[in-house]
Amino acid sequence: MSIKLAGVLGSPIGHSKSPLIHNYWLKTLKKKGLYVPLDVRPDDFPSFLNMAPRLGFVGFNVTIPHKGMAVEICAELSGAAQRAGSVNTIAFDAEGRALGDSTDGDGFLRNLAQRVGWEPQGKRVAMFGAGGAARAVVAALIDSGAEQVRLTNRSADRAESLKSIFGNRVELAEWGGATGPTGIAAFVDGADLLVNATSLGMSGGPEWTWRLPPLAAAAVATDLIYAPLKTPFLATAEAQGAQIVDGLGMLLHQAAPGFERWFGARPEVTEALRELVLSGEGALP
Ligand code: NAP
């Protein structure tokens, strides 16, 4: 019996935690298979995807810079991928056709449910950022019954584009209005969930410098960034009274649906897996 192959396609790809996660699940669930990081340049992406099933690949995760191109070249897209406008998970069918899915939004919600029992129905959300990941998260929140998603983004056109896709439950606020303590207080006022979906505060990235006003004890703040684990946004939200949820769990949960499709077992997101990823050891078996 041939060994099933899967992997993550990106460029660069050396930093990816996905091989660590999937090879851990392969080992603990005693599944035969191998998951590899593959540095594939944009020009090679379509031909590589076309050939991969004949090499024994059952599917891929897709990361920067291929998430948008994958939408164009997958033979079929899930509803979530269409709503998110991006693909992060591909499974090949028996004919080798690429079926594209987006699991970021699902991973975002599962992480909040697992860590603090947060559910979106009827809730109000204040979100910083309107990039690719933000779109997947807004889609998941709206489709799961969130009452309102208040959005602010440096480039207003990206925020407007999300409103035009997701409609009236998305409200826009000026980025400038969120820069000072007064504007930001109005922006987060009454929010059950605060989300940082920008790259502000990421290790080596632009700095998060804003303060937050006092927050209700029931409010939850979460960051999509997972390096560092406690971002400046989460640190200030915690200091102002909110419960916080880091972005690592989203990364782990978004990986689970692909693994299940490729290898036929639903993996669990456990403390042991979190510890392994945080320690960074054992990337390949
Ligand atoms: P993206 O499409 O490039 O969007 C980046 C976002 O950050 C945009 O809202 C952008 O605003 C904003 N931004 C960047 N630099 C800024 C600056 N100097 N000042 C103000 N705003 C700035 O990236 P993405 O894919 O959405 O990823 C966003 C973050 O989520 C990244 O940190 C990524 O690592 C993280 N992420 C985590 C997971 C997970 O599983 N935990 C999954 C996906 C992404 P503009 O539109 O104005 O450029």
Side-chain angles (χ1 to χ4, degrees), residues 64 67 104 128-134 153-155 158 175 196-200 202 206 223-226 247-248 250-252 254:
I64 294 167
K67 282 182 161 188
D104 280 335
F128 300 91
N153 194 55
R154 175 182 62 176
S155 311
R158 281 181 111 179
W175 182 253
N196 178 31
T198 71
S199 356
L200 295 173
M202 190 165 69
D223 205 316
L224 270 53
I225 295 169
Y226 52 84
L248 179 58
M250 173 178 170
L251 178 78
L252 305 179
Q254 63 78 31

Side-chain angles (χ1 to χ4, degrees), residues 32-89:
K32 277 203 185 310
L34 185 62
Y35 185 102
V36 289
L38 292 162
D39 192 328
V40 174
R41 279 174 296 181
D43 284 354
D44 297 325
F45 183 67
S47 53
F48 183 78
L49 210 57
N50 190 35
M51 187 174 58
R54 282 175 271 140
L55 300 175
F57 282 95
V58 290
F60 293 111
N61 287 122
V62 177
T63 186
I64 294 167
H66 305 312
K67 282 182 161 188
M69 197 195 297
V71 170
E72 305 303 320
I73 61 178
C74 279
E76 226 174 273
L77 295 178
S78 69
Q82 289 172 35
R83 296 276 278 167
S86 67
V87 161
N88 72 346
T89 304

Side-chain angles (χ1 to χ4, degrees), residues 215-237:
L215 301 166
V220 174
T222 190
D223 205 316
L224 270 53
I225 295 169
Y226 52 84
L229 207 53
K230 191 184 277 189
T231 62
F233 167 75
L234 291 181
T236 177

Side-chain angles (χ1 to χ4, degrees), residues 171-182:
E171 274 185 17
L172 304 185
E174 272 184 37
W175 182 253
T179 51
T182 311

Side-chain angles (χ1 to χ4, degrees), residues 18 44 51-52 80 86 123 125 134 147 193 204 213 234 238 245 247 265:
S18 295
D44 297 325
M51 187 174 58
S86 67
K123 298 285 174 46
V125 180
E147 182 183 306
L193 178 72
L234 291 181
E238 189 176 43
V245 177

